[in-house]
């Protein structure tokens, strides 16, 4: 009896933690949108975020994972540079730029596609076996196709407007008409930017399969990624726009967004994600990703003047359905390989296959 109560308490803690993580991710998307609408240059925003995230993560790494500190070599620094570029700089710049041209709801819906994109890239690079002749293989393939179809419906089919409530709350700056128009129209260019961020993050996940262990623990991995990423982001921002006025911060939404992204997302969320992956497994973490989408859709329609449409609802449902098909197929496949648990690493004969263990255990921005 006591054992069952402890197990239920552990389950409730994990569920609560993942819901909080997804709400925090949704808030980040909304803050990014508000900061860009306020006129902040996306590249400067990314540079500040990664710089302060580095300052925040270094003490955490020294306190909680001092024994896992990697040996710093030129090879490690080059891998960290690649990790920072693929996992932090490019996804952040592409996603935030795409947010300015689309909507927070679309960016969140596109983020749900990340596991599907990762599966496609892994299959193309022969890091993942498709096995189309099995139910699991068919589920992964059709789930991916559903996800792509849902994204296309979201972009190209509008349908009737859905007004859930009438409110005069609108945090969008009326002087930025392009951002307001983007709330009602999905720009093709903006969608390409968002998907570009997802593809970059998917490549980063595949990179972690090969070299992730060389960075030590999760905290050191994030620290090195943020450190090298901040250097690259500062160089890109300065080359793009040398106006130092763009770097000026005040007590406004820009500073709050940077602080939130650096401390909450790059610090606390990483710790919670790592705990949930360790205690409940990667599949448990992945199934909660649509929660952020629902939160952004509701809050966006309430305070960002983002109008929901029949097309966006249908597209979102299909995307989420495709995600769960892929997760179901991968779960069954993992159980057939290691039936003793749904969270045991595959043995050496199957180590070349990417598993959902390598999906976003570090919540960086994609966001």
């Amino acid at each position: 009896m006591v054992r069952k109560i402890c197990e239920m308490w552990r389950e409730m803690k994990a569920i609560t933690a993942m819901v909080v993580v997804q709400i925090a991710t949704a808030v980040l998307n909304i803050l990014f949108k508000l900061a860009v609408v306020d006129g902040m240059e996306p590249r400067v925003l990314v540079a500040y975020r990664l710089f302060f995230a580095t300052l925040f993560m270094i003490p955490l790494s020294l306190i909680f994972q001092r024994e896992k500190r990697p040996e710093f070599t030129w090879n490690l620094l080059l891998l960290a540079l690649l990790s920072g570029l693929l996992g932090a700089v490019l996804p952040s710049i592409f996603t935030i730029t795409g947010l300015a041209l689309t909507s927070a709801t679309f960016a969140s819906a596109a983020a749900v596609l990340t596991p599907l994109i990762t599966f496609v890239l892994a299959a193309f690079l022969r890091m993942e076996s498709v096995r189309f002749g099995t139910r699991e293989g068919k589920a992964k393939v059709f789930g991916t196709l559903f996800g792509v179809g849902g994204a296309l419906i979201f972009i190209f089919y509008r349908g009737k407007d859905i007004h859930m409530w009438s409110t005069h709350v609108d945090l969008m700056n009326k002087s930025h008409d392009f951002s307001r128009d983007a709330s009602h129209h999905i720009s093709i260019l903006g969608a390409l930017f968002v998907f570009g961020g997802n593809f970059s993050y998917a490549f980063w996940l595949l990179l972690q399969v090969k070299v992730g262990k060389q960075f030590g623990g999760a905290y050191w991995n994030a620290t090195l990624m943020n450190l090298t990423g901040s250097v690259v982001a500062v160089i890109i921002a300065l080359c793009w726009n040398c106006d130092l006025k763009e770097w000026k911060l005040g007590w406004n939404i820009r500073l709050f967004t940077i602080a939130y992204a650096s401390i909450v997302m790059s610090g606390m969320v990483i710790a919670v994600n790592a705990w949930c992956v360790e205690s409940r497994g990667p599949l448990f973490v992945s199934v909660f990703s649509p929660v952020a989408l629902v939160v952004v859709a509701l809050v966006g329609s309430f305070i960002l003047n983002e109008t929901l449409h029949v097309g966006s609802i249908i597209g979102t449902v299909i995307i989420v359905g495709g995600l769960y098909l892929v997760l179901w197929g991968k779960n069954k496949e993992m159980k057939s390989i290691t039936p003793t648990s749904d969270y045991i690493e595959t043995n050496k004969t199957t180590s070349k296959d990417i598993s959902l263990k390598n999906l976003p255990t570090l919540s960086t921005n994609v966001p």
Side-chain angles (χ1 to χ4, degrees):
M1 183 66 179
V2 175
R3 186 176 181 179
K4 289 184 177 180
I5 294 176
C6 293
E7 184 64 27
M8 289 178 59
W9 170 244
R10 182 188 176 199
E11 184 78 14
M12 286 304 300
K13 283 198 304 182
I15 292 174
T16 303
M18 286 313 305
V19 170
V20 171
V21 164
Q22 293 304 317
I23 292 175
T25 304
V27 172
L28 179 66
N29 254 346
I30 294 171
L31 288 176
F32 277 159
K33 179 72 174 181
L34 292 174
V36 172
V37 168
D38 190 56
M40 189 171 192
E41 166 62 41
R43 297 155 194 83
V44 175
L45 173 57
V46 172
Y48 268 126
R49 179 210 170 160
L50 296 178
F51 174 74
F52 286 112
T54 302
L55 296 181
F56 184 77
M57 289 300 300
I58 288 176
L60 292 181
S61 302
L62 293 174
I63 293 173
F64 296 107
Q65 293 187 339
R66 178 184 294 271
E67 70 284 354
K68 294 184 178 182
R69 183 176 67 85
E71 181 181 352
F72 293 99
T73 62
W74 286 110
N75 182 57
L76 180 68
L77 291 178
L78 289 176
L79 290 176
L81 183 63
L82 182 60
S83 177
L85 183 65
L86 292 177
V89 179
L90 293 181
S92 296
I93 292 178
F94 285 158
T95 301
I96 296 174
T97 304
L99 266 173
L101 300 173
T102 56
S103 66
T105 303
F106 175 77
S108 297
V112 176
L113 289 171
T114 301
L116 281 65
I117 295 173
T118 307
F119 163 68
V120 172
L121 293 176
F124 180 76
L125 296 174
R126 299 192 176 185
M127 299 173 66
E128 168 79 15
S129 57
V130 178
R131 299 173 185 171
F132 190 72
T134 64
R135 288 188 308 166
E136 295 83 358
K138 291 178 180 178
K140 291 191 293 183
V141 172
F142 285 117
T144 302
L145 294 177
F146 285 164
V148 173
L152 293 176
I153 291 174
F154 198 120
I155 296 172
F156 294 108
Y157 177 64
R158 181 185 180 98
K160 294 182 178 180
D161 294 351
I162 299 176
H163 300 283
M164 293 185 295
W165 41 54
S166 178
T167 175
H168 298 290
V169 179
D170 183 8
L171 299 183
M172 303 287 280
N173 191 333
K174 295 183 179 180
S175 63
H176 295 271
D177 294 332
F178 74 94
S179 296
R180 293 176 63 84
D181 292 340
S183 299
H184 304 280
H185 174 69
I186 301 300
S187 164
I188 301 299
L189 179 61
L192 291 177
F193 271 120
V194 173
F195 288 135
N198 290 342
F199 269 95
S200 179
Y201 190 65
F203 275 115
W204 176 80
L205 292 173
L206 298 181
L207 178 67
Q208 298 303 300
V209 178
K210 296 295 184 180
V211 302
K213 292 182 179 180
Q214 297 185 34
F215 296 112
Y219 285 101
W220 283 110
N221 192 335
T223 300
L224 292 173
M225 180 182 67
N226 289 327
L227 175 62
T228 56
S230 63
V231 175
V232 175
V234 168
I235 294 174
I236 292 176
L238 290 176
C239 292
W240 187 270
N241 189 346
C242 295
D243 189 1
L244 296 181
K245 293 181 179 179
E246 294 287 345
W247 296 81
K248 185 178 179 180
L249 295 176
W251 295 99
N252 50 27
I253 188 63
R254 303 184 186 190
L255 180 61
F256 181 75
T257 300
I258 293 171
Y260 181 89
S262 304
I263 298 175
V264 177
M265 295 304 298
S266 298
M268 300 177 184
V269 167
I270 284 180
V272 175
N273 261 336
W275 175 77
C276 286
V277 169
E278 182 178 354
S279 61
R280 301 300 302 165
L283 286 174
F284 180 85
V285 173
S286 299
V287 298
F288 283 89
S289 57
V291 174
L293 171 58
V294 174
V295 173
V296 170
L298 295 176
V299 177
S301 64
F302 187 75
I303 66 175
L304 298 181
N305 197 29
E306 293 186 355
T307 304
L308 294 177
H309 313 288
V310 172
S312 62
I313 297 297
I314 295 176
T316 298
V317 171
I318 295 176
I319 289 173
V320 174
L323 169 68
Y324 284 134
L325 260 180
V326 173
L327 293 178
W328 178 86
K330 192 60 190 180
N331 186 33
K332 292 294 184 181
E333 189 175 83
M334 291 173 67
K335 284 184 176 180
S336 66
I337 296 174
T338 54
T340 56
S341 171
D342 62 2
Y343 179 53
I344 297 180
E345 295 183 4
T346 55
N347 56 37
K348 293 182 179 179
T349 62
T350 59
S351 61
K352 292 183 180 179
D353 286 354
I354 179 176
S355 73
L356 285 178
K357 178 176 177 159
N358 303 304
L359 292 183
T361 59
L362 297 179
S363 184
T364 54
N365 52 22
V366 184

